[in-house]
Amino acid sequence: MASDSAASRFDIAIAGASFAGLALACGLSQALGSSFKIVLIDRAAGAASRPDARASAISAASKRMLEALGVWQAIADEAQPVARIEITDSSLEAGVRPVLLTYDNVIDTGEPATYIVANSVLFEALLAAVRRSPGLEMLVPAEALDFASSDTETRVRLADGRELVASLLAAADGRHSRLREVAGIKVVGWSYPQIGIVTIVRHERPHDACAVQHFLPAGPFAMLPLKGNRTCITWTEAASEAERILALDDAGFLREVEQRFGGKLGAIALDGPRQSWPLEMHLARRYVGPRFALVGDAAHGVHPLAGQGLNLAFRDVAALTEVVADAVRLGFDAGDAQALSRYERWRRFDSVVSTATFDGLNRLFASDRALLRSGRELGLGLVDRMPFLKRFFVGEAAGLNGELPRLLRGEAA
Ligand SMILES: Cc1cc2nc3c(=O)[nH]c(=O)nc-3n(C[C@H](O)[C@H](O)[C@H](O)COP(=O)(O)OP(=O)(O)OC[C@H]3O[C@@H](n4cnc5c(N)ncnc54)[C@H](O)[C@@H]3O)c2cc1C
C-alpha cells in the first residue's frame, strides 16, 4: 500500500484492475521499466470478490500480446484452440438445425484464429504478471472518486480521502465508468431488451474444438469449447424469458439448456454456476481529455455475440502502451497531449465500426420475421460458398486486420 508521502506521485494512475487495467499495467511496466511508476487502483478486493463463470474468445492478436507480456505461458494449458466454427439459424422448436455456414478457424500461419479461455484463468494470470512487474503499486480495495488535471499533473482523489498525483490517469473502470462521467465525456448507447446468461456444461462426447453460434429468435446461443468435454454457453435471451429461466431449479434450468444445446454431444450436465448480465452497447464520444484516457469497457461496450469486447479492450491497451512508451522515450511525460490524441485517432474509429457492426448483427439475427430469416439464410449460404469472404471473417476474428500496435504483433512495446 502506498503511504501519503512522496510514494503517492506516479507516472500513471490506472483506475480499474480488471482485464484492461491489469494488461495496461503489465505493458507499461515491461516497456518502461521500474523507473516508470505505476499505481493500479480497484474498488474490488480481488479475485475472490469477483467470481466470473464466463469464458472469452481470445483472438490470435490478443494471444500474441499476452505472449509478449509473459502472461500466455500461464494460460496455455487451459486455452482451448477453436479449429472450426458452425453457424446455425433456426427456431427453438425446430427438430433439424441446418448448418448454414461452417469454416476452419485457422489463419495463414496455420494457427487458430481464436482460443477459448476461462475468465478466471485469464484474470489470475494477469494479476500474477502484475505482481511480478517492477515499479508497480496496487491499491486494493480503493475507489477512485474524482480527479482534476492541470498543465503538469492530474490529482486523483480516492474514497478514503487519499490523493494520488500522476502525469496520466487511465480509466479502465468498466462500462459504468465514474471517471468518464467526472471527465464530462458523454456516451452514445442503449440497453438491449436481452440478458446474457452464462454457464458451463460437461458433455458425453468431445466437441472436436468446434465453436457453435446458434442464432435463435431471442438472440444467439454460443457454445464455446473448453478443455475436456466441457463447453461454456453464452446465451442471449429476451429479458422476461431470462428472468423465468434463471429462477428455475437446476433440473429445470438444465432442461432449458438441453433444448437449445441439441443432442449432438450426447448427454449434458451442469458444470458451473449460472450467471447473468444485462446487455447494452455504448461508445464514449471522446477517448481522451487533459491527462486522461479511457480504456476497455469504459470507452466502449459491445454485444457479446461476436465475443470481441475483451479483444477490443486489449487493442486499446496495446495502442495506449505504445503511444505512452514512445512519448516517454522521446522525453515527454506520460500524459503528453499529442500522444493521447494519437491514441484516440488510432482506437476510436475501429471501436465505432465494431460497435455498429455487432449492434447490426444482433438486430439482424434476433428476429423471427420470415423475410429477415430467409434473407440471412441466403446471405450465410452465399458466404459459405465464398472462401475469400470466409478468410476475411477469420482474419477479423483473429484481430490481425488493420494497423496493429507492436504488442498485438507479439513484439515488445
Ligand atoms: C455475457 C458476456 C460475455 C462476454 N464474452 C466475451 C468474449 O467471449 N470475448 C470477449 O472479447 N469479450 C467478451 N465479453 C466482454 C468482456 O467481458 C468485457 O469487454 C471485459 O470484461 C472488459 O474489461 P474491462 O477491464 O474494460 O472492464 P471490467 O472487467 O468491467 O473491469 C472494471 C474494473 O474497474 C473497477 N472499478 C470500477 N469503478 C471503479 C472506481 N471508481 N475505482 C476503482 N476501481 C473501479 C471494477 O471493480 C472492475 O475491476 C463478454 C461480456 C459479457 C457481458
Side-chain angles (χ1 to χ4, degrees):
M1 286 265 183
S3 67
D4 280 343
S5 63
S8 304
R9 295 194 78 90
F10 299 91
D11 291 295
I12 185 169
I14 303 172
S18 180
F19 304 104
L22 291 169
L24 180 64
C26 284
L28 284 169
S29 166
Q30 192 191 69
L32 295 167
S34 59
S35 58
F36 189 79
K37 297 290 174 211
I38 301 170
V39 62
L40 200 47
I41 308 149
D42 202 295
R43 66 178 179 199
S49 67
R50 57 195 324 147
D52 189 343
R54 289 176 297 175
S56 292
I58 302 289
S59 69
S62 295
K63 179 206 173 216
R64 284 178 193 179
M65 180 178 96
L66 294 169
E67 273 170 344
L69 296 178
V71 173
W72 186 257
Q73 293 73 346
I75 295 172
D77 287 348
E78 299 284 333
Q80 171 63 51
V82 179
R84 202 159 43 87
I85 308 242
E86 282 182 8
I87 296 181
T88 75
D89 177 4
S90 60
S91 68
L92 192 51
E93 295 75 28
V96 182
R97 284 183 193 163
V99 175
L100 294 176
L101 177 60
T102 174
Y103 52 89
D104 290 336
N105 189 45
V106 176
I107 55 178
D108 294 343
T109 56
E111 298 165 72
T114 33
Y115 296 78
I116 308 299
V117 179
N119 279 16
S120 53
V121 171
L122 178 60
F123 180 80
E124 284 302 331
L126 282 166
L127 190 60
V130 158
R131 294 213 163 109
R132 290 193 301 270
S133 301
L136 215 148
E137 217 171 298
M138 267 192 105
L139 299 184
V140 188
E143 184 173 2
L145 268 195
D146 57 30
F147 72 99
S149 297
S150 69
D151 285 350
T152 53
E153 64 189 26
T154 183
R155 287 183 168 265
V156 185
R157 196 162 59 89
L158 306 186
D160 60 12
R162 278 179 292 179
E163 200 174 68
L164 309 171
V165 182
S167 297
L168 173 65
L169 169 63
D173 52 345
R175 57 162 97 167
H176 301 298
S177 170
R178 177 186 177 100
L179 296 174
R180 181 182 67 211
E181 216 177 292
V182 173
I185 297 179
K186 299 264 180 287
V187 287
V188 277
W190 43 82
S191 301
Y192 293 109
Q194 296 168 315
I195 298 284
I197 302 176
V198 174
T199 195
I200 293 174
V201 297
R202 188 170 284 283
H203 33 83
E204 219 178 346
R205 290 197 279 275
H207 46 54
D208 294 331
C210 177
V212 179
Q213 184 76 290
H214 181 197
F215 284 104
L216 289 162
F221 183 87
M223 295 152 67
L224 308 175
L226 292 170
K227 284 280 167 148
N229 283 3
R230 293 185 315 135
T231 289
C232 177
I233 291 167
T234 304
W235 164 15
T236 301
E237 190 50 79
S240 54
E241 182 64 354
E243 222 171 279
R244 179 189 71 77
I245 291 169
L246 287 163
L248 293 170
D249 60 13
D250 277 357
F253 182 70
L254 181 61
R255 273 196 298 279
E256 296 285 344
V257 175
E258 278 167 336
Q259 194 184 8
R260 290 159 179 85
F261 200 86
K264 223 167 111 181
L265 299 181
I268 64 169
L270 296 178
D271 195 42
R274 60 184 99 152
Q275 291 182 342
S276 65
W277 277 262
L279 301 182
E280 43 126 75
M281 96 87 170
H282 66 266
L283 186 66
R285 286 193 188 273
R286 289 182 290 120
Y287 277 18
V288 300
R291 300 191 171 277
F292 180 74
L294 294 172
V295 188
D297 274 16
H300 42 69
V302 295
H303 195 284
L305 92 168
Q308 287 297 329
L310 190 58
N311 292 305
L312 286 177
F314 283 163
R315 282 197 245 173
D316 296 346
V317 166
L320 188 58
T321 302
E322 186 162 319
V323 301
V324 170
D326 286 352
V328 170
R329 286 176 188 134
L330 286 171
F332 298 101
D333 74 45
D336 178 63
Q338 280 194 20
L340 293 181
S341 59
R342 189 178 153 217
Y343 168 65
E344 181 169 65
R345 281 196 307 277
W346 206 346
R347 289 301 309 136
R348 192 158 185 285
F349 179 68
D350 177 52
S351 313
V352 170
V353 173
S354 300
T355 34
T357 307
F358 304 143
D359 183 62
L361 281 174
N362 182 49
R363 282 166 202 278
L364 177 66
F365 280 95
S367 165
D368 212 15
R369 276 192 235 140
L371 194 62
L372 270 183
R373 176 176 285 280
S374 353
R376 62 193 190 225
E377 276 178 18
L378 180 71
L380 289 173
L382 283 174
V383 173
D384 202 30
R385 285 170 187 75
M386 291 192 230
F388 79 93
L389 260 185
K390 287 188 190 179
R391 271 201 306 281
F392 173 78
F393 289 139
V394 172
E396 282 292 305
L400 294 171
N401 295 341
E403 188 200 347
L404 296 183
R406 294 188 284 269
L407 277 175
L408 293 179
R409 288 185 259 135
E411 296 162 19

